[in-house]
Amino acid sequence: MTVFEKYGALKVTGKNLTDSQGNIVQLKGISTHNIAIYSEYINETALKQYVDEYKVSIMRLAMYSAFADDVKGYADSDDEHRQELENYIADAVEMCNKLGIYCMVDWHILFDYDPNMHTDMAIRFFRNIVTRLKDYDNVIYEICNEPNMNLETQEKTSWEMIKNYANQVIPVIREIKKNCVIIVGTPIWSQDVDVASESPLEYEDIMYTLHFYAASHTDRIRDKLKVALNNNLPVFVTEFGVGHADGNGTIDEEQTEIWLKLINENKISHIIWNLSNKNETSSIIAPDCEKYYNFTDDDLSACGKYMKSIMGRE
Ligand code: IDC
């Protein structure tokens, strides 16, 4: 039985992701790197391996909204590229659906630190993609990866600013697809779940993002999670790293294990960054591996090998 056959369409009950009966569902998975660059790792053969061997139950498709790593994002690109990105996502969702796993569509804001910078484009994207995918119940929509700050002026994107954006985008999605889980990023690179928990959004089936990179984020961020959980906030770790916040650096197993203990105790779903062979610690494929499927353990980086043990845990 596949995970989707087991749980079907998801919802949020109290602070948990659940099936329609209210049974808690904890998803574990892998996030792509930027799909405009590393698209090839999503193919049927590879996905089958992620599911059967790595025990993945969700794939996250990171679609950058703005320019990063020398390529344009959805918002600052042209219509042809936008169409390609939408086609790619629709195909990937279908592949995940066939295999019976969940899929997360991620509007990956990053250098566009405030989601309000591209609200119109986000609305256009979600209107198009949700219309295409409205018959698929295995999709979770993540509407803003990591609101953060203008590094020049140090102006932070506040929770109120994020709510302003969410209150425009969520109704667009819900008008097309009534029942689906939507995930909203939180201030400061999706760390301030405590702040969000003081004043959550007023919709059903919403979850809030917490991201951590174990070598950079420790007790201070874990305390934020604890506050949020005490306030009954539904939290989804849509991205975590076992190394440093820049995606590189050394793997911190000790801190990763402390994090995993906390999130597993609370049945919090989590997704590891990132599915690529880029020469950086957080990539799960070894830099010298040029395959896109049929990976052996030697084709995995240190992070990739660790990923296998993390996904496979009860
Ligand atoms: C990093 C990638 C890196 C890329 C950079 C900019 O690992 O290769 O050059 O983005 O696109 C995040 C972001 C995620 C980052 C990751 C590591 O969501 O896009 O990826 N990170 O820095 N938040 C915290 C860490």
Side-chain angles (χ1 to χ4, degrees):
M1 195 195 248
T2 67
V3 65
F4 183 67
E5 279 166 347
K6 188 166 174 198
Y7 297 118
L10 300 174
K11 61 183 198 134
V12 178
T13 309
K15 63 180 163 193
N16 297 308
L17 181 66
T18 68
D19 67 9
S20 62
Q21 308 300 309
N23 299 308
I24 297 180
V25 178
Q26 187 187 22
L27 300 176
K28 297 180 189 178
I30 304 173
S31 175
T32 67
H33 196 295
N34 186 349
I35 58 161
I37 310 174
Y38 297 101
S39 58
E40 310 223 37
Y41 293 99
I42 302 286
N43 60 75
E44 284 190 21
T45 314
L47 275 174
K48 203 163 164 11
Q49 182 173 21
Y50 309 150
V51 176
D52 294 346
E53 188 183 334
Y54 304 166
K55 308 297 175 202
V56 155
S57 50
I58 184 164
M59 293 301 300
R60 178 184 191 236
L61 307 169
M63 188 191 70
Y64 279 64
S65 46
F67 187 87
D69 303 304
D70 295 329
V71 297
K72 288 183 174 172
Y74 186 97
D76 52 24
S77 195
D78 53 43
D79 284 350
E80 195 185 332
H81 187 223
R82 288 186 190 115
Q83 191 63 57
E84 277 170 18
L85 292 168
E86 288 176 16
N87 291 346
Y88 177 82
I89 288 175
D91 289 350
V93 166
E94 200 181 324
M95 283 187 245
C96 290
N97 188 274
K98 264 198 202 158
L99 279 173
I101 60 163
Y102 294 88
C103 200
M104 186 175 290
V105 175
D106 161 31
W107 180 256
H108 199 86
I109 69 161
L110 189 61
F111 299 121
D112 43 344
Y113 52 89
D114 171 359
N116 295 288
M117 283 172 77
H118 296 302
T119 309
D120 289 351
M121 277 296 172
I123 287 175
R124 169 174 164 173
F125 168 69
F126 283 110
R127 185 171 281 138
N128 289 350
I129 205 72
V130 181
T131 301
R132 271 176 88 160
L133 300 176
K134 65 176 186 305
D135 295 330
Y136 292 88
D137 285 331
N138 65 323
V139 193
I140 294 176
Y141 295 99
E142 182 179 26
I143 64 171
C144 49
N145 168 50
E146 288 187 355
N148 52 87
M149 65 198 287
N150 182 334
L151 293 173
E152 273 166 33
T153 65
Q154 302 285 301
E155 189 208 351
K156 292 176 184 153
T157 302
S158 66
W159 177 233
E160 288 311 312
M161 289 155 81
I162 300 167
K163 282 174 91 174
N164 173 60
Y165 165 82
N167 282 325
Q168 295 171 72
V169 175
I170 292 169
V172 170
I173 298 176
R174 285 285 159 77
E175 197 189 314
I176 304 164
K177 185 154 176 73
K178 276 207 168 46
N179 305 314
C180 60
V181 173
I182 297 176
I183 306 189
V184 184
T186 55
I188 305 297
W189 291 278
S190 284
Q191 294 171 6
D192 285 358
V193 281
D194 52 340
V195 176
S197 73
E198 304 289 335
S199 148
L201 290 152
E202 290 172 2
Y203 304 90
E204 308 261 290
D205 300 324
I206 302 293
M207 300 189 84
Y208 300 82
T209 316
L210 174 78
H211 287 175
F212 68 83
Y213 281 74
S216 304
H217 309 129
T218 61
D219 284 338
R220 194 177 68 82
I221 312 296
R222 282 191 286 267
D223 287 345
K224 288 174 175 287
L225 174 59
K226 289 175 189 164
V227 170
L229 293 174
N230 274 333
N231 288 338
N232 233 8
L233 194 80
V235 174
F236 197 129
V237 174
T238 64
E239 192 185 294
F240 74 95
V242 298
H244 191 268
D246 66 3
N248 223 331
T250 48
I251 292 178
D252 192 329
E253 251 189 79
E254 193 186 328
Q255 285 299 326
T256 304
E257 292 302 322
I258 299 173
W259 269 110
L260 290 173
K261 183 165 183 290
L262 176 64
I263 62 180
N264 280 326
E265 272 169 8
N266 287 283
K267 294 275 176 214
I268 295 176
S269 297
H270 48 280
I271 297 179
I272 193 167
W273 183 260
N274 74 77
L275 180 53
S276 80
N277 70 344
K278 183 166 175 175
N279 193 5
E280 61 179 5
T281 309
S282 59
S283 305
I284 66 173
I285 309 291
D288 58 356
C289 170
E290 288 175 358
K291 295 188 222 166
Y292 294 114
Y293 50 83
N294 287 343
F295 304 109
T296 64
D297 280 354
D298 285 342
D299 295 328
L300 299 179
S301 65
C303 174
K305 294 190 180 90
Y306 193 15
M307 172 281 299
K308 273 182 77 170
S309 95
I310 294 171
M311 297 293 123
R313 283 178 206 187
E314 281 310 310

